[in-house]
Amino acid sequence: MMAIARYRRRDSLSFRIFVLITMKQKPSTPKTRPSDEWIEIGKIIGVQGLNGEVRVYPSTDFPERFEEPGQRWLKYPNQSTPQPVELVQGRLIENKGIFIVQLAEVTDRNQAEALRGCVMLVPEGDRPHLEEDEYYIQDLIGLVAIDQRTGEEIGTVVEILTAGHDILAIKPPVPAVETPDISEISETLETPSKRKSKPNILIPFVKEIVPIVDMAAGRVEINPPPGLLEVNN
């Protein structure tokens, strides 16, 4: 089951999903590590105390991103090129779901305040390995959903929602619109009204209902219980 941060992960279901936010990067400068994409792991939302610590709201499921010392990258709000920074230490504030982080050479409140709004990044190549039945959200988006009973396409995964458990939001395919014969067009040349798009289909992301996730084939197979698709329609 998905959780925004792994320390809050709920294991009652057989799937686990991890947040992955990537961003394209412009050509690197000598100060930056070459990378085509970056993974956003959190955002600095404030300062903590007087000694340069910052508050970070995580966008990763891996707490070690903030607890293990080492190099991270900061992207300032008005800059496109991330800058390297050394993470000295970090700790979780469980009741608030944020991390308190100490960065090298940030030693007072004024320096920490200057980092407010910065996004913390790691190179895309540093993405942690996942176990069986664990998925990154970004990898699920765009998968084609197939009704396992009929082989028909249900739609495309466009979003992952959380409401007690994870839910696949599936956009139904757009039905083909026949081009009317010109003789059938009214003399007023009124444009036919556009067809309303169908609402997304919401499917609980549990193994009993989504038994197959085939990344290589770019598809998920849905085995919906009676009435589930009809309720969505």
Side-chain angles (χ1 to χ4, degrees):
M1 172 117 196
M2 173 196 178
I4 294 303
R6 188 162 57 166
Y7 52 85
R8 291 184 288 165
R9 186 174 62 201
R10 297 179 291 271
D11 292 327
S12 58
L13 300 180
S14 53
F15 285 128
R16 290 178 233 157
I17 313 176
F18 297 88
V19 175
L20 170 66
I21 303 176
T22 62
M23 56 185 67
K24 290 289 184 180
Q25 173 60 29
K26 294 182 178 179
S28 61
T29 67
K31 291 184 179 181
T32 64
R33 170 178 172 175
S35 177
D36 292 328
E37 290 191 352
W38 299 88
I39 300 174
E40 179 181 330
I41 61 172
K43 183 175 183 179
I44 296 176
I45 59 173
V47 300
Q48 178 78 13
L50 303 175
N51 297 321
E53 291 182 318
V54 295
R55 295 185 170 206
V56 179
Y57 186 81
S59 51
T60 174
D61 298 279
F62 300 95
E64 56 266 32
R65 295 294 198 189
F66 308 104
E67 296 173 343
E68 295 181 1
Q71 190 174 61
R72 307 294 189 272
W73 302 78
L74 284 182
K75 189 174 82 68
Y76 289 79
N78 298 322
Q79 297 182 8
S80 59
T81 302
Q83 303 296 325
V85 66
E86 194 74 14
L87 189 147
V88 177
Q89 62 183 3
R91 63 187 186 277
L92 170 66
I93 306 299
E94 290 194 27
N95 61 334
K96 295 185 177 180
I98 63 173
F99 286 88
I100 305 301
V101 170
Q102 182 75 60
L103 301 175
E105 301 181 7
V106 180
T107 58
D108 61 47
R109 189 176 181 88
N110 289 336
Q111 290 176 313
E113 187 65 43
L115 301 179
R116 186 189 294 267
C118 287
V119 174
M120 296 188 68
L121 310 169
V122 294
E124 198 274 339
D126 289 347
R127 181 158 75 161
H129 172 73
L130 299 182
E131 302 298 330
E132 184 179 359
D133 287 341
E134 294 182 340
Y135 305 95
Y136 286 106
I137 286 180
Q138 190 69 19
D139 292 341
L140 293 170
I141 302 300
L143 296 183
V144 175
I146 303 296
D147 188 332
Q148 196 176 59
R149 305 166 303 175
T150 64
E152 296 181 356
E153 179 180 337
I154 298 174
T156 303
V157 179
V158 294
E159 190 178 1
I160 309 298
L161 306 174
T162 303
H165 52 73
D166 300 305
I167 296 174
L168 300 180
I170 299 173
K171 184 177 180 61
V174 178
V177 179
E178 296 182 1
T179 303
D181 188 279
I182 192 169
S183 62
E184 298 176 356
I185 300 178
S186 66
E187 295 181 359
T188 59
L189 299 179
E190 293 180 348
T191 302
S193 59
K194 295 182 179 179
R195 297 188 181 185
K196 293 183 178 179
S197 59
K198 294 182 179 180
N200 291 340
I201 300 170
L202 304 181
I203 301 294
F205 192 47
V206 296
K207 200 154 191 174
E208 293 77 9
I209 299 177
V210 189
I212 295 178
V213 179
D214 190 338
M215 291 293 182
R219 61 191 278 166
V220 293
E221 295 187 14
I222 311 297
N223 183 25
L228 178 60
L229 296 182
E230 289 74 16
V231 168
N232 276 276
N233 291 328

